[in-house]
Amino acid sequence: MLQYLLDIKEGLAIAFAAIRANTMRSVLTTLGIVIGIVSVTLMGTAIEGLNRAFNTSIAKIGADVLYVQKFPWAGQEDWWTLRNRRDIRMEHARAIDRQATLASTVTPIAANIVNVRYGSKVVEGAIVVGTDEQFIETVGVDVVLGRFLTPLEVSGGRPVCVIGSEIAENLFPSENPLGKTVKLNTHTYRVVGVLEKQGSLLGQTMDTRVYVPINRYFKEFRTFRGGIEIWVKAMSLEEVEDTKEEIRGIMRKARRLSPGAKDDFAINQQELLIQTFNAIGGVVAAVGLFITGLSLFVGGIGIMNIMFVSVTERTKEIGIRKAIGAPRRSILIQFLIEAAALCLIGGIIGLIIAFPLSLIIDQVLPTAMPLSIVFIALLVAVLVGIISGFLPAYRASRMDPVEALRYE
């Protein structure tokens, strides 16, 4: 063991002496590794950033919430079949609310695009959401100012609304929005509450939304064709699957489906979205890393080539070392360390370049560079060096000392 440590120490000294003696050649040799590490690191940071952004967004979709919708989040049926499904209606939500024993809350949801106006200020492209008083309990969001909709306001279809934090900031930058009247397109509503800041969900901000009683929504914002969604919160995480089956039975009965007929609705949940994202993300990551890995392969070929040149140039040195008793192991380790050192230097330079580039990319796409990516990049660089340098090092270790000493 001690001998191996001495061989590594000696190999490091010789390797860095050789790199310093051929500085320009070493720089040009590591260029391919630098490009490869930059490419692989940026791809890794992009994948990690997208995963974190997705997980942050998906955390806002409760794991104990089921979404009864017309379309599945992932499925094999053709689009035309899905399009011709019957819409989800309020009577279905009422049936679930009456009959479900495992549901904590049942919330109907309908949405459309509106412009929100207060005086001369306008928020364009906001989302008006028709819902009921159980919404905040279903999604787990808090009201920071005022209150949410009441059962009487929902059943009576009163012209009141609760606004998102971004709308409140834009329309009421220096005044209290409670009690003020806003225009949703041409319809007047009184503000009774402001929701806490929720951020983005799958790339869409949740803070430019206006929540109104769903009965009022049907009168003023409902399109000619378009149903609703039903969000159902299970009693507990352990009962999600049982709740799903109970809802399926209630929906099939409410929609009068025969026993052998397929469901003409979807009950979506968080796991379906995660599975779909992971499947797509896995393919994208594999293709991306394969393409960027090609640059590392090219860099490895360059390292192998220059190591063959180095072995040839130092043939007499190898002969002298072997003549005075250096074992094959020492020669092999010496050249492997030199190849690995070249790649490690290239990897460090690549990381130094990749970090500021990732900050620039983060302005467009989410990126993240945890220490694990840094360690993986350096490990990949060292492995490329060892693999690329093995054949030249093996050739050097197998040289006949007599023939090596005669080499001119």
Side-chain angles (χ1 to χ4, degrees):
M1 184 64 183
L2 180 61
Q3 187 59 47
Y4 277 106
L5 292 175
L6 290 174
D7 287 340
I8 291 173
K9 180 181 178 182
E10 184 180 15
L12 283 170
I14 296 173
F16 283 107
I19 292 171
R20 284 196 302 270
N22 300 278
T23 305
M24 183 56 69
R25 186 173 74 181
S26 299
V27 170
L28 294 175
T29 302
T30 58
L31 189 58
I33 299 298
V34 170
I35 295 171
I37 290 298
V38 168
S39 302
V40 171
T41 303
L42 290 179
M43 177 60 68
T45 56
I47 293 170
E48 178 69 18
L50 288 171
N51 282 335
R52 289 189 179 187
F54 176 79
N55 290 331
T56 300
S57 294
I58 207 68
K60 296 172 185 174
I61 303 177
D64 57 350
V65 177
L66 299 167
Y67 302 84
V68 183
Q69 298 169 314
K70 181 176 180 178
F71 301 107
W73 290 348
Q76 303 299 320
E77 294 186 66
D78 64 273
W79 180 84
W80 191 256
T81 300
L82 296 175
R83 180 185 180 279
N84 288 326
R85 284 180 169 181
R86 291 175 292 167
D87 290 329
I88 309 295
R89 299 292 183 185
M90 278 297 295
E91 56 263 28
H92 302 138
R94 286 190 284 266
I96 295 174
D97 196 26
R98 285 195 311 269
Q99 301 175 38
T101 60
L102 300 176
S104 172
T105 60
V106 179
T107 304
I109 297 288
N112 213 328
I113 299 175
V114 296
N115 292 332
V116 186
R117 183 186 301 274
Y118 175 71
S120 60
K121 303 182 183 71
V122 182
V123 174
E124 297 182 345
I127 305 294
V128 58
V129 179
T131 187
D132 66 8
E133 70 280 0
Q134 298 186 84
F135 175 82
I136 55 173
E137 186 179 346
T138 301
V139 300
V141 64
D142 292 327
V143 178
V144 294
L145 197 61
R147 58 173 176 80
F148 200 68
L149 308 173
T150 66
L152 285 176
E153 289 169 341
V154 173
S155 60
R158 301 295 300 162
V160 295
C161 67
V162 176
I163 59 178
S165 61
E166 191 171 325
I167 291 180
E169 291 169 5
N170 291 334
L171 298 186
F172 306 98
S174 57
E175 56 183 311
N176 190 332
L178 297 183
K180 302 295 193 301
T181 57
V182 295
K183 289 276 190 179
L184 307 184
N185 288 342
T186 59
H187 308 292
T188 302
Y189 282 76
R190 179 170 56 88
V191 179
V192 296
V194 179
L195 290 188
E196 66 178 349
K197 192 172 186 64
Q198 300 176 71
S200 297
L201 175 62
L202 303 179
Q204 295 184 342
T205 179
M206 303 289 288
D207 297 317
T208 56
R209 299 192 171 194
V210 182
Y211 301 88
V212 303
I214 193 162
N215 291 338
R216 189 80 183 185
Y217 173 92
F218 288 143
K219 295 177 183 178
E220 298 179 339
F221 304 107
R222 190 172 190 175
T223 56
F224 174 72
R225 179 180 174 84
I228 66 168
E229 299 177 3
I230 307 169
W231 295 7
V232 182
K233 186 180 180 68
M235 291 286 190
S236 66
L237 280 172
E238 293 73 21
E239 295 181 309
V240 168
E241 288 304 318
D242 291 337
T243 307
K244 185 176 181 179
E245 290 307 312
E246 183 181 48
I247 294 170
R248 175 174 282 113
I250 295 170
M251 285 293 294
R252 288 183 63 87
K253 180 181 176 182
R255 291 166 78 86
R256 295 181 173 84
L257 294 177
S258 61
K262 288 184 177 180
D263 293 345
D264 62 349
F265 57 91
I267 303 178
N268 296 310
Q269 59 189 117
Q270 189 185 95
E271 278 66 26
L272 293 174
L273 201 59
I274 293 173
Q275 290 170 9
T276 303
F277 176 83
N278 288 341
I280 296 172
V283 173
V284 172
V287 173
L289 290 175
F290 173 76
I291 293 172
T292 55
L294 289 177
S295 56
L296 273 178
F297 176 76
V298 172
I301 295 296
I303 294 290
M304 184 182 294
N305 180 57
I306 208 66
M307 290 306 298
F308 272 122
V309 172
S310 181
V311 168
T312 302
E313 287 179 345
R314 294 153 66 185
T315 299
K316 186 166 286 190
E317 174 194 323
I318 295 168
I320 293 171
R321 290 195 66 199
K322 297 193 78 171
I324 61 176
R328 290 178 179 176
R329 179 190 66 243
S330 298
I331 304 298
L332 182 70
I333 291 174
Q334 172 193 333
F335 283 96
L336 282 179
I337 288 176
E338 185 172 334
L342 276 171
C343 287
L344 183 60
I345 292 170
I348 293 171
I349 295 171
L351 285 171
I352 293 171
I353 295 172
F355 181 69
L357 288 178
S358 70
L359 296 179
I360 296 172
I361 296 173
D362 190 55
Q363 304 303 311
V364 181
L365 291 173
T367 60
M369 189 184 286
L371 286 177
S372 58
I373 288 182
V374 174
F375 290 137
I376 289 171
L378 294 178
L379 180 61
V380 167
V382 171
L383 287 176
V384 168
I386 292 173
I387 294 170
S388 302
F390 181 78
L391 283 178
Y394 182 75
R395 177 186 172 188
S397 70
R398 301 291 295 180
M399 280 186 180
D400 184 281
V402 176
E403 294 298 323
L405 287 169
R406 287 178 181 172
Y407 182 80
E408 294 295 337

